[in-house]
């Protein structure tokens, strides 16, 4: 690989890692783990979450998310949701206690993301998102060709 291409690949990886680091730092400031934040983030997006959803969305080990969801259930933050469960795949929603617990986190996260969106602009964020998804797909295809 030529130097410029290597530099571009390294910069995109650094950007992705730094972005995840910002979310991790935010979670730490609010006294929750990064993985717990991802569970809350998924619930914010869909209204519920399954272990498979979180693992597939963020490419995380099943055991890691299983442990996070189990702890959140034990602490009565999550409740089983029969309506979105399918077969062996259990879905979870925020319990009443969980809604109160997550309200400040999610409000803070909304504010931070909104400020970043205002800074970057909706169109540039749309472009960035599209390009990242295309890059992910190109990497996946390349990986599959490798065998």
């Amino acid at each position: 690989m030529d130097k410029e291409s290597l530099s571009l690949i390294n910069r995109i990886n650094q950007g992705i890692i730094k972005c995840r680091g910002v979310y991790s730092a935010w979670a730490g400031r609010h006294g929750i783990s990064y993985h717990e934040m991802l569970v809350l983030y998924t619930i914010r997006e869909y209204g519920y979450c399954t272990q498979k959803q979180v693992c597939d969305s963020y490419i995380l080990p099943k055991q890691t998310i299983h442990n996070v969801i189990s702890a959140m259930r034990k602490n009565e933050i999550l409740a089983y949701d029969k309506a979105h469960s399918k077969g062996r795949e259990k879905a979870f929603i925020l319990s009443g206690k969980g809604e109160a617990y997550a309200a400040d986190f999610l409000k803070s996260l909304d504010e931070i993301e909104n400020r970043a969106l205002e800074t970057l602009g909706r169109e540039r964020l749309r472009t960035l998102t599209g390009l990242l998804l295309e890059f992910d797909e190109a990497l996946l295809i390349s990986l599959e060709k490798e065998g």
Side-chain angles (χ1 to χ4, degrees):
M1 181 179 302
D2 66 81
K3 272 188 155 184
E4 181 184 5
S5 297
L6 183 60
S7 178
L8 287 170
I9 296 292
N10 284 339
R11 287 183 68 206
I12 189 72
N13 279 317
Q14 290 168 356
I16 291 166
I17 290 165
K18 284 181 181 180
C19 184
R20 290 181 74 166
V22 169
Y23 279 99
S24 182
W26 174 88
R29 284 184 185 177
H30 288 84
I32 63 174
S33 74
Y34 178 71
H35 296 118
E36 186 176 347
M37 184 211 69
L38 293 177
V39 169
L40 295 173
Y41 205 86
T42 303
I43 292 172
R44 179 183 77 167
E45 183 175 357
Y46 299 103
Y48 68 95
C49 78
T50 68
Q51 177 181 312
K52 183 175 180 351
Q53 246 180 335
V54 178
C55 291
D56 289 352
S57 293
Y58 302 104
I59 311 173
L60 295 168
K62 290 178 185 176
Q63 191 62 42
T64 299
I65 298 305
H66 172 77
N67 291 340
V68 170
I69 288 175
S70 294
M72 292 175 81
R73 289 185 70 199
K74 182 179 177 183
N75 292 327
E76 299 176 348
I77 294 166
L78 296 181
Y80 173 70
D81 180 42
K82 187 175 182 178
H84 291 99
S85 297
K86 295 178 185 136
R88 295 181 62 190
E89 190 174 349
K90 295 178 182 173
F92 302 95
I93 58 172
L94 290 172
S95 64
K97 180 180 176 181
E99 286 181 13
Y101 170 81
D104 287 340
F105 299 139
L106 297 178
K107 182 178 183 232
S108 170
L109 190 56
D110 283 346
E111 290 170 357
I112 289 168
E113 289 176 333
N114 277 327
R115 283 194 302 268
L117 177 59
E118 287 172 11
T119 299
L120 190 60
R122 191 175 301 270
E123 193 54 42
R124 290 179 68 201
L125 189 59
R126 225 181 253 117
T127 300
L128 175 63
T129 302
L131 290 171
L132 276 172
L133 292 172
E134 285 180 39
F135 184 65
D136 287 346
E137 186 63 27
L139 280 174
L140 185 59
I141 290 167
S142 180
L143 178 65
E144 289 171 353
K145 286 182 180 177
E146 183 182 59

